[in-house]
Amino acid sequence: MQTEIVIGLEIHVQLATRTKLFCGCSTDYFGAPPNRHCCPVCLGMPGALPVLNERAVELALVAALALGCEIPSYSRFDRKQYFYPDLPKGYQISQYKAPIALGGHLDLEGDGGGKRVRLRRLHLEEDAGKLVHDPAAGRTLVDLNRCGVPLIEIVTEPDLRSPEEAARFLKQLRQILRYLEVSNCDMEKGELRCDANLSLSVDGQLGTKTEIKNLNSFKAVEEALRAEAQRQRSLLERGQRVMQQTFGWDPERGRLEPQRTKEEAEDYRYFPDPDLVPLTIDEAWKRRLREQLPELPHEKRRRWKREFELPDYDIRVLTEERGIAEYFERVVELHPKPKDVSNWMMTELLRLLAEEEHPVPKLPPERFAELLKMVEAGTIHRNTGKDVLEEAYRTGRPPKEIVEERGLARIADEAELARLADEVIAEQPEAVANFRAGNEKALGFLVGQLRAKTRGRADPKLAARLLRERLSR
Ligand code: ADP
Ligand code: ZN
Ligand code: MG
């Protein structure tokens, strides 16, 4: 029996709008007191009417354009009816028959690269509220702050072939959406979550799929899918059938948890929302948004490889976040040594950055370039440069100023070093005798002594020459 894993994902992404999809309530609900960001519209009071948020439409379009979707000139909103306490209207406004975007694709990078995952559709919908379980008190509370927060749902074709590939797809998608500033995609806040569908095809025959709901970390996606593939495989090996079913995932226990049986589309009794007019999107709007798209991460990586000749590893690390990538590009403009900039950024700057919650380095790129130039020119020693960087980073002061004030510049003053050379020769008769007896290594020792007197700031070449001159007289 030859089995193959088949996976398709349905991904929900919270759009980075300031207000909700159909009302003016703030979307900034994370950590807010429960039920504060609500109004008659998002609470579904009788007579309240939704008004579509243009910015949400725009962000959905930006995502769709970047993912190569087709954007029909007509789309509309449908009501999806179901009964659940976190959904006060009794229906969710979503898109069913006529979504805002169709098709599209994402090309997976890595292992030879180039595998294309097709997208089926991308649509707009509103989020539901949250139930807060309080088992100790034996009760469940409801928080409706999240009701009506705008989401896009992206549905893939069943093109993924392993749990690892599914996680990789999701990482790449997240990176693109963050570059586009369509969403923060903070998975801990539930801004990106996904339902994963999996089946096993046996000897090329497509099997029955199951669905795992609401996965909110890459690790959960990978582990839950691995567990489900294993479960289905052992059913098949025992000659049993896979039943269509929905699971939840318990990340602590690493366990699948059977939920209700799956609804069919008919159960939702979709129909066009009579409170909302259809959405028409004209060519001019699409054109304008397409022109404003930023360079996408994979495009950036391709260009960097061509222009900067950096190792793939450096490119991957430095293009992870758009802010960091653009910082790198600016520094290279000012100090056109890409590998040098990359080394300094990856070892020193990213370490400093990791110590705080800040998306881009606090140190302006101009200052960073100034520091690299001082090291390059030999004004300061490389190790001194690291200290200066750290201080400039923490205090925001210009590196040049720090070097001057603390007297860190390399000493290449011949008179000054000559005086120190004389001192060293007087203090180290043994090494001097050794050198005169033909031991070259003794010179290295004497140079070290001289540099110690300047706390490492003496120019080593000049120091060696001055010592040698004096010793061979
Ligand atoms: P449903 O009607 O059950 O909602 P859809 O056809 O709408 O199923 O697909 C929902 C998701 O399930 C999509 O992401 C799709 O790629 C995925 N999917 C469809 N068929 C399979 C399959 N045989 N194995 C795994 N995933 C599948
Ligand atoms: Zn509201
Ligand atoms: Mg479906």
Side-chain angles (χ1 to χ4, degrees), residues 5-52:
I5 295 174
V6 176
I7 296 168
L9 302 177
E10 298 162 280
I11 301 121
H12 289 95
V13 180
Q14 182 180 323
L15 297 175
T17 57
R18 282 196 302 108
T19 57
K20 293 185 180 180
L21 188 51
F22 299 113
C23 63
C25 290
S26 166
T27 52
D28 192 16
Y29 63 84
F30 198 82
N35 302 308
R36 287 296 168 83
H37 296 294
C38 305
C39 74
V41 173
C42 53
L43 292 177
M45 300 291 186
L49 289 172
V51 177
L52 181 59

Side-chain angles (χ1 to χ4, degrees), residues 257-271:
E257 288 174 341
Q259 294 185 342
R260 57 186 163 68
T261 53
K262 186 167 168 39
E263 283 92 353
E264 297 295 332
E266 301 86 80
D267 299 329
Y268 292 124
R269 305 168 334 272
Y270 284 102
F271 69 90

Side-chain angles (χ1 to χ4, degrees), residues 95 128 299 331:
Q95 295 191 301
E299 293 167 343
V331 178

